[in-house]
Amino acid sequence: MTGIEIRHSLVNGSATEAANLVLPSNFVELDWENLDYLGWRDSHSPHLGYIIRWQGEKPMGIVVREADGPLSKRRMMMCQLCRATHTGHGVSLFSARRAGEAGMNGNTVGTYICANLGCSGNIRVDVPQASYYSDPESVLAEKVMGLETRVSGFMLDVMRP
Ligand SMILES: [Zn+2]
């Protein structure tokens, strides 16, 4: 995936947003094998973030915006994409402008996501607990599958006309 492909992949971003997008600082050394989606916060516009994933042969991406106001520090919050739970500022409410006309009319889709948009890393940080029925590898595989399903569902919501 190249920077140009990423700029072109944004289905709900304006031309200005695509032009102003700042790639993650570690872009050249990303470990694509372990990324279920590529997500990062824009270092120049910290309230903006991006979620990019392969849709068949082509990358498809969305711009998300962090909602104003911090969430409660003490409450446990769950990321709706990877189902990781965090306290403090680990989870943020993000909204995505709907693609096309819906977006121009001000329609957005919102959900709680890991604040660093790093679900792929977050589900791999803690060695998944093996349960009575399954080994750690299949627990991780299950988490990956769930994450992919929910990310693509979220993106489809954004694209729904
Ligand atoms: Zn997450």
Side-chain angles (χ1 to χ4, degrees):
M1 217 186 272
T2 67
I4 294 173
E5 282 179 313
I6 284 180
R7 282 173 218 281
H8 286 205
S9 77
L10 299 174
V11 294
N12 69 340
S14 64
T16 319
E17 279 170 331
N20 290 344
L21 172 151
V22 179
L23 289 170
S25 55
N26 61 343
F27 186 65
V28 290
E29 60 220 27
L30 284 174
D31 174 14
W32 295 96
E33 278 295 297
N34 286 313
L35 283 177
D36 313 299
Y37 74 85
L38 169 62
W40 77 99
R41 299 287 292 264
D42 193 303
S43 58
H44 288 194
S45 318
H47 58 290
L48 292 182
Y50 311 95
I51 293 179
I52 321 279
R53 71 188 301 270
W54 289 102
Q55 199 75 22
E57 298 285 288
K58 280 173 60 181
M60 184 176 123
I62 55 174
V63 185
V64 293
R65 185 175 292 269
E66 188 180 40
D68 292 335
L71 299 169
S72 162
K73 254 189 185 167
R74 267 174 301 183
R75 250 178 83 197
M76 285 293 275
M77 300 289 299
M78 185 189 275
C79 168
Q80 295 303 310
L81 298 184
C82 70
R83 300 271 163 90
T85 44
H86 305 269
T87 47
H89 299 302
V91 171
S92 289
L93 177 59
F94 287 95
S95 71
R97 192 165 60 228
R98 302 265 302 276
E101 209 180 312
M104 283 189 267
N105 294 333
N107 279 316
T108 59
V109 187
T111 195
Y112 291 94
I113 311 175
C114 291
N116 64 358
L117 298 173
C119 297
S120 296
N122 295 343
I123 59 173
R124 287 169 175 82
V125 167
D126 305 313
V127 177
Q129 292 283 311
S131 73
Y132 182 77
Y133 298 104
S134 49
D135 56 289
E137 245 167 64
S138 25
V139 174
L140 179 60
E142 213 167 279
K143 284 188 179 195
V144 166
M145 213 201 292
L147 172 58
E148 287 185 339
T149 308
R150 289 184 290 269
V151 173
S152 79
F154 180 55
M155 291 178 109
L156 286 176
D157 261 3
V158 170
M159 293 194 64
R160 200 156 30 90

PDB file of all heavy atoms in Angstrom, residues 57-89:
ATOM      1  N   GLU A  57      -8.834  -6.288  -3.888  1.00  0.00           N
ATOM      2  CA  GLU A  57      -7.513  -5.884  -4.371  1.00  0.00           C
ATOM      3  C   GLU A  57      -7.173  -4.446  -4.021  1.00  0.00           C
ATOM      4  O   GLU A  57      -6.046  -4.020  -4.192  1.00  0.00           O
ATOM      5  CB  GLU A  57      -7.462  -6.028  -5.910  1.00  0.00           C
ATOM      6  CG  GLU A  57      -7.652  -7.423  -6.418  1.00  0.00           C
ATOM      7  CD  GLU A  57      -6.404  -8.273  -6.187  1.00  0.00           C
ATOM      8  OE1 GLU A  57      -5.403  -8.033  -6.885  1.00  0.00           O
ATOM      9  OE2 GLU A  57      -6.431  -9.148  -5.292  1.00  0.00           O
ATOM     10  N   LYS A  58      -8.182  -3.703  -3.576  1.00  0.00           N
ATOM     11  CA  LYS A  58      -7.965  -2.273  -3.389  1.00  0.00           C
ATOM     12  C   LYS A  58      -8.080  -1.859  -1.919  1.00  0.00           C
ATOM     13  O   LYS A  58      -8.926  -2.377  -1.208  1.00  0.00           O
ATOM     14  CB  LYS A  58      -9.014  -1.485  -4.195  1.00  0.00           C
ATOM     15  CG  LYS A  58      -8.669  -1.387  -5.687  1.00  0.00           C
ATOM     16  CD  LYS A  58      -9.797  -0.764  -6.465  1.00  0.00           C
ATOM     17  CE  LYS A  58     -10.128   0.645  -5.979  1.00  0.00           C
ATOM     18  NZ  LYS A  58     -11.253   1.232  -6.734  1.00  0.00           N
ATOM     19  N   PRO A  59      -7.228  -0.918  -1.502  1.00  0.00           N
ATOM     20  CA  PRO A  59      -7.406  -0.415  -0.142  1.00  0.00           C
ATOM     21  C   PRO A  59      -8.634   0.496  -0.074  1.00  0.00           C
ATOM     22  O   PRO A  59      -8.961   1.199  -1.030  1.00  0.00           O
ATOM     23  CB  PRO A  59      -6.132   0.376   0.131  1.00  0.00           C
ATOM     24  CG  PRO A  59      -5.550   0.698  -1.193  1.00  0.00           C
ATOM     25  CD  PRO A  59      -6.105  -0.292  -2.188  1.00  0.00           C
ATOM     26  N   MET A  60      -9.342   0.429   1.058  1.00  0.00           N
ATOM     27  CA  MET A  60     -10.474   1.303   1.270  1.00  0.00           C
ATOM     28  C   MET A  60     -10.276   1.933   2.638  1.00  0.00           C
ATOM     29  O   MET A  60      -9.920   1.251   3.595  1.00  0.00           O
ATOM     30  CB  MET A  60     -11.748   0.480   1.241  1.00  0.00           C
ATOM     31  CG  MET A  60     -12.997   1.297   1.363  1.00  0.00           C
ATOM     32  SD  MET A  60     -14.407   0.184   1.193  1.00  0.00           S
ATOM     33  CE  MET A  60     -15.213   0.529   2.721  1.00  0.00           C
ATOM     34  N   GLY A  61     -10.472   3.245   2.712  1.00  0.00           N
ATOM     35  CA  GLY A  61     -10.198   3.909   3.973  1.00  0.00           C
ATOM     36  C   GLY A  61     -11.285   4.891   4.364  1.00  0.00           C
ATOM     37  O   GLY A  61     -12.065   5.365   3.529  1.00  0.00           O
ATOM     38  N   ILE A  62     -11.362   5.171   5.643  1.00  0.00           N
ATOM     39  CA  ILE A  62     -12.278   6.189   6.137  1.00  0.00           C
ATOM     40  C   ILE A  62     -11.541   7.133   7.089  1.00  0.00           C
ATOM     41  O   ILE A  62     -10.570   6.741   7.735  1.00  0.00           O
ATOM     42  CB  ILE A  62     -13.515   5.595   6.860  1.00  0.00           C
ATOM     43  CG1 ILE A  62     -13.095   4.667   7.992  1.00  0.00           C
ATOM     44  CG2 ILE A  62     -14.419   4.869   5.891  1.00  0.00           C
ATOM     45  CD1 ILE A  62     -14.269   4.180   8.831  1.00  0.00           C
ATOM     46  N   VAL A  63     -12.024   8.361   7.120  1.00  0.00           N
ATOM     47  CA  VAL A  63     -11.529   9.345   8.072  1.00  0.00           C
ATOM     48  C   VAL A  63     -12.461   9.306   9.269  1.00  0.00           C
ATOM     49  O   VAL A  63     -13.680   9.304   9.098  1.00  0.00           O
ATOM     50  CB  VAL A  63     -11.591  10.775   7.475  1.00  0.00           C
ATOM     51  CG1 VAL A  63     -10.965  11.787   8.426  1.00  0.00           C
ATOM     52  CG2 VAL A  63     -10.910  10.823   6.123  1.00  0.00           C
ATOM     53  N   VAL A  64     -11.901   9.248  10.465  1.00  0.00           N
ATOM     54  CA  VAL A  64     -12.728   9.322  11.667  1.00  0.00           C
ATOM     55  C   VAL A  64     -12.287  10.527  12.496  1.00  0.00           C
ATOM     56  O   VAL A  64     -11.146  10.963  12.412  1.00  0.00           O
ATOM     57  CB  VAL A  64     -12.646   8.029  12.522  1.00  0.00           C
ATOM     58  CG1 VAL A  64     -13.266   6.853  11.793  1.00  0.00           C
ATOM     59  CG2 VAL A  64     -11.217   7.711  12.929  1.00  0.00           C
ATOM     60  N   ARG A  65     -13.243  11.046  13.245  1.00  0.00           N
ATOM     61  CA  ARG A  65     -12.985  12.243  14.038  1.00  0.00           C
ATOM     62  C   ARG A  65     -13.297  11.932  15.497  1.00  0.00           C
ATOM     63  O   ARG A  65     -14.369  11.406  15.805  1.00  0.00           O
ATOM     64  CB  ARG A  65     -13.925  13.343  13.528  1.00  0.00           C
ATOM     65  CG  ARG A  65     -13.753  14.711  14.132  1.00  0.00           C
ATOM     66  CD  ARG A  65     -14.685  15.672  13.425  1.00  0.00           C
ATOM     67  NE  ARG A  65     -14.252  15.879  12.040  1.00  0.00           N
ATOM     68  CZ  ARG A  65     -13.417  16.859  11.677  1.00  0.00           C
ATOM     69  NH1 ARG A  65     -12.976  17.711  12.558  1.00  0.00           N
ATOM     70  NH2 ARG A  65     -13.060  16.977  10.415  1.00  0.00           N
ATOM     71  N   GLU A  66     -12.368  12.244  16.378  1.00  0.00           N
ATOM     72  CA  GLU A  66     -12.600  11.983  17.792  1.00  0.00           C
ATOM     73  C   GLU A  66     -13.591  13.007  18.326  1.00  0.00           C
ATOM     74  O   GLU A  66     -13.453  14.204  18.089  1.00  0.00           O
ATOM     75  CB  GLU A  66     -11.287  12.067  18.569  1.00  0.00           C
ATOM     76  CG  GLU A  66     -11.425  11.631  20.004  1.00  0.00           C
ATOM     77  CD  GLU A  66     -10.098  11.722  20.752  1.00  0.00           C
ATOM     78  OE1 GLU A  66      -9.363  12.704  20.539  1.00  0.00           O
ATOM     79  OE2 GLU A  66      -9.811  10.813  21.542  1.00  0.00           O
ATOM     80  N   ALA A  67     -14.598  12.500  19.029  1.00  0.00           N
ATOM     81  CA  ALA A  67     -15.593  13.402  19.596  1.00  0.00           C
ATOM     82  C   ALA A  67     -14.952  14.256  20.685  1.00  0.00           C
ATOM     83  O   ALA A  67     -14.002  13.833  21.333  1.00  0.00           O
ATOM     84  CB  ALA A  67     -16.743  12.598  20.177  1.00  0.00           C
ATOM     85  N   ASP A  68     -15.472  15.456  20.856  1.00  0.00           N
ATOM     86  CA  ASP A  68     -14.917  16.366  21.855  1.00  0.00           C
ATOM     87  C   ASP A  68     -15.173  15.846  23.255  1.00  0.00           C
ATOM     88  O   ASP A  68     -16.158  15.166  23.509  1.00  0.00           O
ATOM     89  CB  ASP A  68     -15.544  17.755  21.716  1.00  0.00           C
ATOM     90  CG  ASP A  68     -15.103  18.401  20.424  1.00  0.00           C
ATOM     91  OD1 ASP A  68     -14.028  18.030  19.922  1.00  0.00           O
ATOM     92  OD2 ASP A  68     -15.837  19.265  19.916  1.00  0.00           O
ATOM     93  N   GLY A  69     -14.309  16.233  24.148  1.00  0.00           N
ATOM     94  CA  GLY A  69     -14.522  15.908  25.558  1.00  0.00           C
ATOM     95  C   GLY A  69     -13.991  14.544  25.908  1.00  0.00           C
ATOM     96  O   GLY A  69     -14.302  13.568  25.238  1.00  0.00           O
ATOM     97  N   PRO A  70     -13.189  14.464  26.938  1.00  0.00           N
ATOM     98  CA  PRO A  70     -12.637  13.171  27.339  1.00  0.00           C
ATOM     99  C   PRO A  70     -13.714  12.286  27.946  1.00  0.00           C
ATOM    100  O   PRO A  70     -14.687  12.770  28.512  1.00  0.00           O
ATOM    101  CB  PRO A  70     -11.584  13.537  28.389  1.00  0.00           C
ATOM    102  CG  PRO A  70     -12.020  14.853  28.927  1.00  0.00           C
ATOM    103  CD  PRO A  70     -12.806  15.543  27.852  1.00  0.00           C
ATOM    104  N   LEU A  71     -13.528  11.000  27.790  1.00  0.00           N
ATOM    105  CA  LEU A  71     -14.442  10.056  28.417  1.00  0.00           C
ATOM    106  C   LEU A  71     -14.052   9.929  29.879  1.00  0.00           C
ATOM    107  O   LEU A  71     -12.955  10.307  30.271  1.00  0.00           O
ATOM    108  CB  LEU A  71     -14.330   8.699  27.725  1.00  0.00           C
ATOM    109  CG  LEU A  71     -14.687   8.695  26.235  1.00  0.00           C
ATOM    110  CD1 LEU A  71     -14.289   7.385  25.592  1.00  0.00           C
ATOM    111  CD2 LEU A  71     -16.177   8.936  26.062  1.00  0.00           C
ATOM    112  N   SER A  72     -14.945   9.380  30.649  1.00  0.00           N
ATOM    113  CA  SER A  72     -14.662   9.202  32.070  1.00  0.00           C
ATOM    114  C   SER A  72     -13.377   8.405  32.255  1.00  0.00           C
ATOM    115  O   SER A  72     -13.170   7.369  31.634  1.00  0.00           O
ATOM    116  CB  SER A  72     -15.826   8.475  32.743  1.00  0.00           C
ATOM    117  OG  SER A  72     -15.388   7.958  33.973  1.00  0.00           O
ATOM    118  N   LYS A  73     -12.515   8.914  33.136  1.00  0.00           N
ATOM    119  CA  LYS A  73     -11.213   8.285  33.328  1.00  0.00           C
ATOM    120  C   LYS A  73     -11.313   6.927  33.988  1.00  0.00           C
ATOM    121  O   LYS A  73     -10.509   6.053  33.750  1.00  0.00           O
ATOM    122  CB  LYS A  73     -10.347   9.178  34.227  1.00  0.00           C
ATOM    123  CG  LYS A  73      -9.261   9.903  33.466  1.00  0.00           C
ATOM    124  CD  LYS A  73      -8.336  10.574  34.444  1.00  0.00           C
ATOM    125  CE  LYS A  73      -7.306  11.403  33.689  1.00  0.00           C
ATOM    126  NZ  LYS A  73      -6.583  12.296  34.550  1.00  0.00           N
ATOM    127  N   ARG A  74     -12.282   6.799  34.861  1.00  0.00           N
ATOM    128  CA  ARG A  74     -12.314   5.597  35.680  1.00  0.00           C
ATOM    129  C   ARG A  74     -13.129   4.469  35.079  1.00  0.00           C
ATOM    130  O   ARG A  74     -12.938   3.324  35.401  1.00  0.00           O
ATOM    131  CB  ARG A  74     -12.853   5.932  37.072  1.00  0.00           C
ATOM    132  CG  ARG A  74     -11.712   6.237  38.031  1.00  0.00           C
ATOM    133  CD  ARG A  74     -12.248   6.696  39.352  1.00  0.00           C
ATOM    134  NE  ARG A  74     -13.064   7.898  39.198  1.00  0.00           N
ATOM    135  CZ  ARG A  74     -13.607   8.534  40.214  1.00  0.00           C
ATOM    136  NH1 ARG A  74     -13.457   8.080  41.426  1.00  0.00           N
ATOM    137  NH2 ARG A  74     -14.318   9.627  40.023  1.00  0.00           N
ATOM    138  N   ARG A  75     -14.076   4.849  34.210  1.00  0.00           N
ATOM    139  CA  ARG A  75     -14.951   3.811  33.681  1.00  0.00           C
ATOM    140  C   ARG A  75     -14.203   2.872  32.756  1.00  0.00           C
ATOM    141  O   ARG A  75     -13.363   3.292  31.979  1.00  0.00           O
ATOM    142  CB  ARG A  75     -16.105   4.456  32.915  1.00  0.00           C
ATOM    143  CG  ARG A  75     -17.424   4.309  33.625  1.00  0.00           C
ATOM    144  CD  ARG A  75     -18.514   4.997  32.868  1.00  0.00           C
ATOM    145  NE  ARG A  75     -19.028   4.159  31.798  1.00  0.00           N
ATOM    146  CZ  ARG A  75     -19.755   4.634  30.797  1.00  0.00           C
ATOM    147  NH1 ARG A  75     -20.003   5.922  30.700  1.00  0.00           N
ATOM    148  NH2 ARG A  75     -20.230   3.837  29.877  1.00  0.00           N
ATOM    149  N   MET A  76     -14.521   1.618  32.818  1.00  0.00           N
ATOM    150  CA  MET A  76     -13.985   0.666  31.859  1.00  0.00           C
ATOM    151  C   MET A  76     -14.773   0.826  30.570  1.00  0.00           C
ATOM    152  O   MET A  76     -15.998   0.877  30.585  1.00  0.00           O
ATOM    153  CB  MET A  76     -14.178  -0.765  32.367  1.00  0.00           C
ATOM    154  CG  MET A  76     -13.229  -1.171  33.460  1.00  0.00           C
ATOM    155  SD  MET A  76     -11.524  -1.266  32.899  1.00  0.00           S
ATOM    156  CE  MET A  76     -11.493  -2.930  32.217  1.00  0.00           C
ATOM    157  N   MET A  77     -14.066   0.935  29.479  1.00  0.00           N
ATOM    158  CA  MET A  77     -14.736   1.093  28.198  1.00  0.00           C
ATOM    159  C   MET A  77     -14.276  -0.025  27.279  1.00  0.00           C
ATOM    160  O   MET A  77     -13.141  -0.458  27.348  1.00  0.00           O
ATOM    161  CB  MET A  77     -14.355   2.424  27.552  1.00  0.00           C
ATOM    162  CG  MET A  77     -14.703   3.644  28.360  1.00  0.00           C
ATOM    163  SD  MET A  77     -16.480   3.951  28.419  1.00  0.00           S
ATOM    164  CE  MET A  77     -16.829   4.192  26.690  1.00  0.00           C
ATOM    165  N   MET A  78     -15.176  -0.436  26.397  1.00  0.00           N
ATOM    166  CA  MET A  78     -14.801  -1.495  25.470  1.00  0.00           C
ATOM    167  C   MET A  78     -14.752  -0.956  24.050  1.00  0.00           C
ATOM    168  O   MET A  78     -15.654  -0.255  23.610  1.00  0.00           O
ATOM    169  CB  MET A  78     -15.815  -2.634  25.541  1.00  0.00           C
ATOM    170  CG  MET A  78     -15.398  -3.816  24.682  1.00  0.00           C
ATOM    171  SD  MET A  78     -16.689  -5.063  24.536  1.00  0.00           S
ATOM    172  CE  MET A  78     -16.388  -6.011  26.020  1.00  0.00           C
ATOM    173  N   CYS A  79     -13.676  -1.282  23.368  1.00  0.00           N
ATOM    174  CA  CYS A  79     -13.567  -0.937  21.948  1.00  0.00           C
ATOM    175  C   CYS A  79     -14.583  -1.791  21.188  1.00  0.00           C
ATOM    176  O   CYS A  79     -14.628  -3.006  21.372  1.00  0.00           O
ATOM    177  CB  CYS A  79     -12.157  -1.215  21.466  1.00  0.00           C
ATOM    178  SG  CYS A  79     -11.997  -1.160  19.669  1.00  0.00           S
ATOM    179  N   GLN A  80     -15.386  -1.152  20.371  1.00  0.00           N
ATOM    180  CA  GLN A  80     -16.435  -1.885  19.666  1.00  0.00           C
ATOM    181  C   GLN A  80     -15.899  -2.642  18.458  1.00  0.00           C
ATOM    182  O   GLN A  80     -16.621  -3.409  17.843  1.00  0.00           O
ATOM    183  CB  GLN A  80     -17.551  -0.928  19.218  1.00  0.00           C
ATOM    184  CG  GLN A  80     -18.305  -0.294  20.369  1.00  0.00           C
ATOM    185  CD  GLN A  80     -18.924  -1.336  21.295  1.00  0.00           C
ATOM    186  OE1 GLN A  80     -19.600  -2.248  20.858  1.00  0.00           O
ATOM    187  NE2 GLN A  80     -18.669  -1.213  22.594  1.00  0.00           N
ATOM    188  N   LEU A  81     -14.645  -2.436  18.123  1.00  0.00           N
ATOM    189  CA  LEU A  81     -14.072  -3.160  16.980  1.00  0.00           C
ATOM    190  C   LEU A  81     -13.314  -4.406  17.431  1.00  0.00           C
ATOM    191  O   LEU A  81     -13.526  -5.483  16.910  1.00  0.00           O
ATOM    192  CB  LEU A  81     -13.166  -2.243  16.159  1.00  0.00           C
ATOM    193  CG  LEU A  81     -13.857  -1.025  15.522  1.00  0.00           C
ATOM    194  CD1 LEU A  81     -12.862  -0.260  14.653  1.00  0.00           C
ATOM    195  CD2 LEU A  81     -15.066  -1.427  14.695  1.00  0.00           C
ATOM    196  N   CYS A  82     -12.418  -4.245  18.427  1.00  0.00           N
ATOM    197  CA  CYS A  82     -11.617  -5.401  18.825  1.00  0.00           C
ATOM    198  C   CYS A  82     -12.069  -5.985  20.152  1.00  0.00           C
ATOM    199  O   CYS A  82     -11.547  -7.017  20.571  1.00  0.00           O
ATOM    200  CB  CYS A  82     -10.136  -5.048  18.872  1.00  0.00           C
ATOM    201  SG  CYS A  82      -9.681  -3.947  20.233  1.00  0.00           S
ATOM    202  N   ARG A  83     -13.023  -5.308  20.831  1.00  0.00           N
ATOM    203  CA  ARG A  83     -13.575  -5.784  22.103  1.00  0.00           C
ATOM    204  C   ARG A  83     -12.562  -5.768  23.239  1.00  0.00           C
ATOM    205  O   ARG A  83     -12.761  -6.442  24.253  1.00  0.00           O
ATOM    206  CB  ARG A  83     -14.156  -7.204  21.962  1.00  0.00           C
ATOM    207  CG  ARG A  83     -15.279  -7.318  20.959  1.00  0.00           C
ATOM    208  CD  ARG A  83     -16.608  -7.053  21.624  1.00  0.00           C
ATOM    209  NE  ARG A  83     -17.674  -6.758  20.678  1.00  0.00           N
ATOM    210  CZ  ARG A  83     -18.484  -7.654  20.128  1.00  0.00           C
ATOM    211  NH1 ARG A  83     -18.353  -8.920  20.428  1.00  0.00           N
ATOM    212  NH2 ARG A  83     -19.427  -7.278  19.294  1.00  0.00           N
ATOM    213  N   ALA A  84     -11.463  -5.041  23.073  1.00  0.00           N
ATOM    214  CA  ALA A  84     -10.529  -4.873  24.183  1.00  0.00           C
ATOM    215  C   ALA A  84     -11.153  -3.881  25.151  1.00  0.00           C
ATOM    216  O   ALA A  84     -11.831  -2.943  24.732  1.00  0.00           O
ATOM    217  CB  ALA A  84      -9.188  -4.357  23.680  1.00  0.00           C
ATOM    218  N   THR A  85     -10.923  -4.085  26.442  1.00  0.00           N
ATOM    219  CA  THR A  85     -11.427  -3.122  27.415  1.00  0.00           C
ATOM    220  C   THR A  85     -10.258  -2.320  27.954  1.00  0.00           C
ATOM    221  O   THR A  85      -9.162  -2.832  28.139  1.00  0.00           O
ATOM    222  CB  THR A  85     -12.163  -3.799  28.576  1.00  0.00           C
ATOM    223  OG1 THR A  85     -11.389  -4.918  28.989  1.00  0.00           O
ATOM    224  CG2 THR A  85     -13.540  -4.240  28.165  1.00  0.00           C
ATOM    225  N   HIS A  86     -10.482  -1.047  28.144  1.00  0.00           N
ATOM    226  CA  HIS A  86      -9.448  -0.166  28.671  1.00  0.00           C
ATOM    227  C   HIS A  86     -10.071   0.747  29.710  1.00  0.00           C
ATOM    228  O   HIS A  86     -11.243   1.043  29.659  1.00  0.00           O
ATOM    229  CB  HIS A  86      -8.891   0.770  27.579  1.00  0.00           C
ATOM    230  CG  HIS A  86      -8.378   0.090  26.370  1.00  0.00           C
ATOM    231  ND1 HIS A  86      -7.074  -0.304  26.229  1.00  0.00           N
ATOM    232  CD2 HIS A  86      -8.999  -0.229  25.208  1.00  0.00           C
ATOM    233  CE1 HIS A  86      -6.910  -0.845  25.040  1.00  0.00           C
ATOM    234  NE2 HIS A  86      -8.050  -0.817  24.398  1.00  0.00           N
ATOM    235  N   THR A  87      -9.222   1.245  30.603  1.00  0.00           N
ATOM    236  CA  THR A  87      -9.647   2.335  31.464  1.00  0.00           C
ATOM    237  C   THR A  87      -9.027   3.616  30.921  1.00  0.00           C
ATOM    238  O   THR A  87      -8.268   3.583  29.962  1.00  0.00           O
ATOM    239  CB  THR A  87      -9.147   2.143  32.907  1.00  0.00           C
ATOM    240  OG1 THR A  87      -7.770   1.801  32.844  1.00  0.00           O
ATOM    241  CG2 THR A  87      -9.933   1.079  33.618  1.00  0.00           C
ATOM    242  N   GLY A  88      -9.326   4.714  31.576  1.00  0.00           N
ATOM    243  CA  GLY A  88      -8.690   5.981  31.214  1.00  0.00           C
ATOM    244  C   GLY A  88      -9.016   6.387  29.803  1.00  0.00           C
ATOM    245  O   GLY A  88     -10.142   6.284  29.350  1.00  0.00           O
ATOM    246  N   HIS A  89      -7.994   6.834  29.100  1.00  0.00           N
ATOM    247  CA  HIS A  89      -8.232   7.353  27.764  1.00  0.00           C
ATOM    248  C   HIS A  89      -7.934   6.329  26.682  1.00  0.00           C
ATOM    249  O   HIS A  89      -7.659   6.685  25.555  1.00  0.00           O
ATOM    250  CB  HIS A  89      -7.435   8.630  27.558  1.00  0.00           C
ATOM    251  CG  HIS A  89      -7.817   9.706  28.517  1.00  0.00           C
ATOM    252  ND1 HIS A  89      -9.117  10.181  28.590  1.00  0.00           N
ATOM    253  CD2 HIS A  89      -7.122  10.357  29.459  1.00  0.00           C
ATOM    254  CE1 HIS A  89      -9.173  11.101  29.550  1.00  0.00           C
ATOM    255  NE2 HIS A  89      -7.982  11.222  30.095  1.00  0.00           N
TER     256      HIS A  89
END
